[in-house]
Amino acid sequence: MKEVLRTTDPLTLVRAMDLLGSEGIVSFEFDRHMSVLEGSIGILPRRLMVADRDHFMASAILRDNGIG
């Protein structure tokens, strides 16, 4: 697994996951439940991960759409 995006904005994360999914790339959100530790104030970033083989294409898709 490789990271393609790190953000504190949940809408950006959802948009990125939708873009990747529409291209057939499966992505996983890491650190979603870290808000329990931070007190739900949204300061800890969430990471979007993809399989190693999809990293290059996922990065290109996000970059072409102005994300990341």
Side-chain angles (χ1 to χ4, degrees):
M1 298 295 284
K2 289 190 176 183
E3 179 181 313
V4 289
L5 179 65
R6 182 181 298 234
T7 183
T8 57
D9 183 5
L11 295 177
T12 300
L13 198 62
V14 169
R15 174 76 174 132
M17 290 179 75
D18 287 344
L19 282 169
L20 295 177
S22 70
E23 296 291 331
I25 298 175
V26 178
S27 59
F28 301 93
E29 180 182 348
F30 281 19
D31 305 323
R32 171 182 265 181
H33 301 291
M34 291 300 291
S35 63
V36 172
L37 298 176
E38 71 182 27
S40 299
I41 57 176
I43 59 171
L44 294 177
R46 296 179 187 177
R47 297 177 291 158
L48 188 62
M49 309 292 279
V50 296
D52 293 345
R53 67 180 178 275
D54 295 329
H55 185 261
F56 178 78
M57 186 59 83
S59 296
I61 291 167
L62 294 180
R63 184 179 56 248
D64 290 347
N65 286 281
I67 299 175

